[in-house]
């Protein structure tokens, strides 16, 4: 039965992980994998997460199913985190949350929900974007279209993006990144979010906001600005949310599929459909990560400590960006790589060619995706000077 099934290439990032692990060089640098790392190169467990897990070990009383929508306390606390405690959207009961296995699981729920209930003709995705966006929506049978986001000179081209949005047919879906755009790090300003809102409203387009990095850009509330603006001013939108990064619980697969409707009655209707979508995918989500998040967000002292932990991670990444650009100044490359300071979050689009990326890997043991996307959180302070010198060599050799 299986003889005809061909082998396909493995995931590029997983391949990078394996190649980095097998590289014997002591001064190698891993900028490929998209996880937060501290200055020792470790992906730490946040102290608040450890506190919550200790509490759960002592007080958890059951391992029973938690239902297709997930735990109610998790849903309420995450909705408050996304929309703000004083949100009119929440006060009017316009939002529904379905707990999902990570942000990727939330995206798959969104894709299946859309295909079943709206039969959209197309979803429009930024060029470039996280590659799995394309895989997920293609697998659900939704046609993929692209709108421009970064040009071949590594510049954020908002005017071209807005022009393209104006041409999208009514009823199509537009996928936007809430903050810390993956892979480029270029984000919309508040004025640009307002302009996008006006186009969405005028063209009657349905926004799907991927919110994987809340807190890693400018702050928990600041990074939610676009989501809250659209939810306050549109009758329908979808949000996919991840706790992997801001809680550091990557392997617990904890996320959320959020629907926003025009009123409470409409919300209850679509919420019933979301339960069926989840049921047909995996029935019930995993409980542990959501229990950790609920305990942290539901405890005032732990929540305050967690906010400090997120701030520390964000500031470390920002500091690394500044350190790298300052180190490049000595090589006359500050202006060439000033984009690093314009970008936000874990990733930076460095504007390197695939040949330069290969050269950095082969000559210096610096690993990153061939698009030139570097995970800034993988860089350690002690490696900044080596990184700057290697980039200068790659620029000199190929530019």
């Amino acid at each position: 039965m299986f003889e005809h099934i061909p082998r396909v290439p493995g995931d590029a990032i997983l391949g990078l992980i394996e190649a980095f692990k097998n590289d014997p060089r002591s001064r190698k640098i891993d900028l490929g994998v998209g996880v937060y790392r501290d200055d020792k190169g470790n992906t730490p467990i946040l102290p608040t997460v450890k506190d919550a897990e200790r509490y759960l070990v002592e007080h958890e009383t059951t391992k029973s199913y938690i239902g297709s929508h997930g735990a109610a306390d998790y849903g309420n606390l995450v909705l408050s985190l996304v929309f703000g405690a004083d949100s009119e959207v929440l006060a009017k009961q316009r939002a529904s949350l379905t707990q999902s296995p990570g942000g990727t699981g939330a995206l798959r729920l969104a894709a299946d929900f859309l295909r079943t209930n709206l039969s959209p003709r197309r979803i429009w995705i930024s060029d470039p974007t996280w590659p799995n966006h394309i895989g997920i929506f293609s697998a659900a049978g939704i046609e993929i279209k692209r709108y421009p986001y970064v040009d071949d000179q590594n510049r954020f081209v908002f005017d071209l993006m807005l022009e393209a949005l104006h041409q999208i047919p009514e009823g199509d879906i537009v996928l936007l990144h809430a903050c810390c755009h993956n892979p480029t790090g270029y984000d919309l300003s508040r004025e640009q979010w307002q302009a996008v809102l006006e186009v969405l409203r005028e063209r009657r387009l349905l926004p799907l906001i991927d919110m994987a990095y809340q807190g890693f850009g400018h702050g928990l509330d600041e990074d939610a600005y676009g989501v809250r603006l659209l939810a306050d001013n549109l009758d329908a939108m979808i949000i996919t949310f991840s706790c992997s990064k801001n809680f550091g619980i990557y392997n617990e697969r904890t996320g959320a599929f959020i629907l926003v409707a025009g009123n409470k009655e409409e919300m209850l209707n679509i919420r019933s459909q979301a339960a069926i979508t989840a049921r047909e995918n995996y029935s019930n989500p995993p409980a542990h990560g959501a229990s950790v998040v609920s305990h942290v967000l539901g405890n005032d002292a732990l929540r305050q400590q967690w906010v400090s932990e997120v701030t520390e991670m964000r500031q470390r990444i920002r500091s690394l960006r500044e350190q790298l650009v300052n180190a490049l100044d000595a090589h006359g490359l500050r202006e060439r790589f000033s984009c690093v300071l314009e970008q936000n979050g874990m990733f930076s689009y460095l504007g390197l060619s695939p040949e330069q990326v290969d050269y950095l890997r082969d000559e210096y043991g610096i690993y990153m995706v061939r698009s030139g996307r570097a995970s800034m959180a993988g860089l350690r302070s002690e490696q900044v000077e080596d990184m700057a010198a290697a980039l200068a060599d790659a620029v000199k050799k190929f530019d």
Side-chain angles (χ1 to χ4, degrees):
M1 297 293 290
F2 299 148
E3 294 88 348
H4 68 286
I5 301 176
R7 183 180 304 179
V8 298
D11 181 88
I13 293 179
L14 296 180
L16 273 181
I17 295 172
E18 190 67 21
F20 179 82
K21 183 173 68 174
N22 294 331
D23 191 325
R25 287 173 285 189
S26 60
R27 299 178 73 172
K28 60 186 178 180
I29 301 174
D30 184 6
L31 306 180
V33 64
V35 299
Y36 177 82
R37 289 186 173 138
D38 61 21
D39 215 39
K40 295 180 181 179
N42 301 317
T43 299
I45 301 176
L46 301 185
T48 50
V49 169
K50 275 294 191 186
D51 284 349
E53 289 184 318
R54 279 190 287 267
Y55 178 88
L56 292 171
V57 167
E58 294 297 324
H59 295 88
E60 190 176 47
T61 60
T62 182
K63 293 291 186 182
S64 184
Y65 295 121
I66 58 175
S68 294
H69 284 302
D73 55 348
Y74 170 80
N76 291 331
L77 288 162
V78 169
L79 284 174
S80 180
L81 182 65
V82 170
F83 294 107
D86 300 325
S87 167
E88 285 194 17
V89 170
L90 299 185
K92 294 179 179 178
Q93 300 183 57
R94 293 178 50 216
S96 165
L97 183 145
T98 300
Q99 184 184 323
S100 64
T104 303
L107 283 161
R108 182 61 200 224
L109 284 181
D112 288 346
F113 174 88
L114 288 168
R115 186 64 179 171
T116 300
N117 293 283
L118 296 182
S119 300
R121 288 166 290 181
R122 291 165 286 265
I123 184 167
W124 295 76
I125 296 174
S126 66
D127 185 12
T129 193
W130 181 48
N132 213 18
H133 283 150
I134 298 169
I136 289 167
F137 289 97
S138 295
I142 301 175
E143 182 183 357
I144 306 293
K145 292 288 188 178
R146 309 300 294 268
Y147 60 82
Y149 200 79
V150 171
D151 67 11
D152 56 7
Q153 299 299 310
N154 196 25
R155 296 173 299 194
F156 176 38
V157 286
F158 179 71
D159 289 347
L160 294 180
M161 171 187 171
L162 201 63
E163 181 181 338
L165 295 185
H166 273 289
Q167 305 304 315
I168 296 178
E170 181 177 316
D172 280 6
I173 316 299
V174 178
L175 192 152
L176 302 161
H177 298 229
C179 62
C180 307
H181 184 276
N182 181 3
T184 72
Y186 288 113
D187 287 341
L188 303 180
S189 67
R190 293 193 171 195
E191 293 75 18
Q192 289 168 340
W193 273 114
Q194 183 65 43
V196 168
L197 166 64
E198 292 168 6
V199 177
L200 295 174
R201 192 158 46 192
E202 173 190 331
R203 301 295 301 163
R204 294 182 58 81
L205 306 173
L206 177 62
L208 191 164
I209 314 297
D210 191 355
M211 195 176 193
Y213 302 95
Q214 186 180 6
F216 272 42
H218 295 284
L220 290 162
D221 289 326
E222 293 86 346
D223 292 349
Y225 177 82
V227 168
R228 295 175 185 179
L229 176 71
L230 268 55
D232 286 341
N233 290 278
L234 296 174
D235 288 336
M237 67 183 293
I238 296 173
I239 302 149
T240 56
F241 180 83
S242 173
C243 296
S244 294
K245 286 78 180 177
N246 52 19
F247 281 89
I249 52 173
Y250 299 90
N251 66 4
E252 300 297 351
R253 310 312 301 135
T254 307
F257 168 50
I258 301 171
L259 290 160
V260 178
N263 54 60
K264 178 182 176 181
E265 188 67 23
E266 190 177 296
M267 181 274 287
L268 292 173
N269 292 341
I270 60 174
R271 180 174 173 81
S272 70
Q273 296 289 344
I276 294 174
T277 304
R279 174 72 173 163
E280 292 173 348
N281 268 272
Y282 49 79
S283 183
N284 279 249
H288 182 73
S291 297
V292 168
V293 170
S294 297
H295 186 70
V296 172
L297 293 180
N299 181 294
D300 288 343
L302 281 181
R303 185 185 183 113
Q304 185 175 356
Q305 181 183 342
W306 171 73
V307 171
S308 297
E309 291 166 355
V310 175
T311 301
E312 182 180 341
M313 290 189 286
R314 178 177 68 251
Q315 290 178 345
R316 181 182 118 70
I317 297 171
R318 174 54 57 181
S319 174
L320 286 169
R321 291 179 178 277
E322 293 170 353
Q323 290 175 51
L324 180 59
V325 173
N326 288 338
L328 285 162
D329 194 23
H331 299 276
L333 293 173
R334 171 178 286 274
E335 184 175 351
R336 163 70 184 268
F337 289 99
S338 62
C339 58
V340 173
L341 295 179
E342 299 170 19
Q343 298 159 351
N344 298 303
M346 289 175 52
F347 302 117
S348 186
Y349 228 41
L350 296 178
L352 300 174
S353 67
E355 292 76 19
Q356 287 171 319
V357 172
D358 292 344
Y359 181 75
L360 289 170
R361 181 195 62 228
D362 296 341
E363 297 297 321
Y364 294 97
I366 297 174
Y367 288 76
M368 68 182 77
V369 183
R370 291 191 86 227
S371 64
R373 186 206 80 171
S375 178
M376 296 301 298
L379 187 63
R380 305 201 300 269
S381 296
E382 64 183 23
Q383 298 170 326
V384 168
E385 294 294 339
D386 286 350
M387 178 71 182
L391 282 172
D393 185 28
V395 169
K396 180 180 178 181
K397 184 171 183 64
F398 290 94
D399 277 15

